[in-house]
């Protein structure tokens, strides 16, 4: 249920709520195996700090999930969120054919969300997304609690895949 008077708390998924370390190996090979990378997502363990922040935020905010995952991953993503006991919330995903950098796609969605609602915060691990959101005037919490992956950073920026 949505309450249009509550502010929005916007959460990224990969390496913010979901630990992708076990599937990074699919991005470290050439060519990258995107099918296997996303197929392994249902097995992501939750990241305790991210989960705690979602649950805390849900007391005052409507939770929205903003991910660079492609739309074809929706069923697995929604099932994973439910399995973790995370609050219901709209899940914004990338079109299957959208290869723009996450910093572009996510900022576009944040601007759309902010037209009708107060966006209290964005929680994301991608430094470039965070930088762009802050430049646009959004409050950002940088999710620095997952292991960094150079392969994932490169994929987010250059390949527009997550």
């Amino acid at each position: 249920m949505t309450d249009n008077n509550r502010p929005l708390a916007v959460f990224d998924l990969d390496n913010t709520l979901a630990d992708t370390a076990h599937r990074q190996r699919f991005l470290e090979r050439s060519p990258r195996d995107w099918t296997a990378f996303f197929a392994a997502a249902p097995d992501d363990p939750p990241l305790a700090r991210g989960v705690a922040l979602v649950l805390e935020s849900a007391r005052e905010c409507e939770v929205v999930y903003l991910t660079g995952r492609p739309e074809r991953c929706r069923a697995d993503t929604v099932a994973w969120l439910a399995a973790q006991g995370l609050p219901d919330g709209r899940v914004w995903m990338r079109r299957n054919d959208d290869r723009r950098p996450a910093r572009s796609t996510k900022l576009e969605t944040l601007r759309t969300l902010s037209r009708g609602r107060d966006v209290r915060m964005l929680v994301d691990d991608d430094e470039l997304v965070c930088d762009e959101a802050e430049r646009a005037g959004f409050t950002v919490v940088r999710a620095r609690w997952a292991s960094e992956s150079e392969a994932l950073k490169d994929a987010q920026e250059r390949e527009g895949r997550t």
Side-chain angles (χ1 to χ4, degrees), residues 65-128:
Y65 303 99
L66 174 58
T67 180
R69 292 179 186 183
E71 185 65 43
R72 69 181 177 275
C73 298
R74 180 170 294 278
D76 284 346
T77 298
V78 171
W80 186 90
L81 290 166
Q84 308 315 311
L86 294 171
D88 288 338
R90 182 160 181 190
V91 179
W92 292 77
M93 303 184 87
R94 179 190 297 273
R95 289 185 330 268
N96 288 330
D97 63 347
D98 189 344
R99 297 287 186 265
R100 294 176 294 156
R103 61 188 161 83
S104 300
T105 60
K106 288 186 175 183
L107 187 60
E108 181 179 288
T109 302
L110 283 171
R111 286 185 169 135
T112 298
L113 290 169
S114 70
R115 283 189 202 115
R117 301 285 290 281
D118 173 41
V119 175
R120 168 93 36 102
M121 68 178 159
L122 166 68
V123 183
D124 203 300
D125 69 305
D126 185 325
E127 294 292 335
L128 295 173

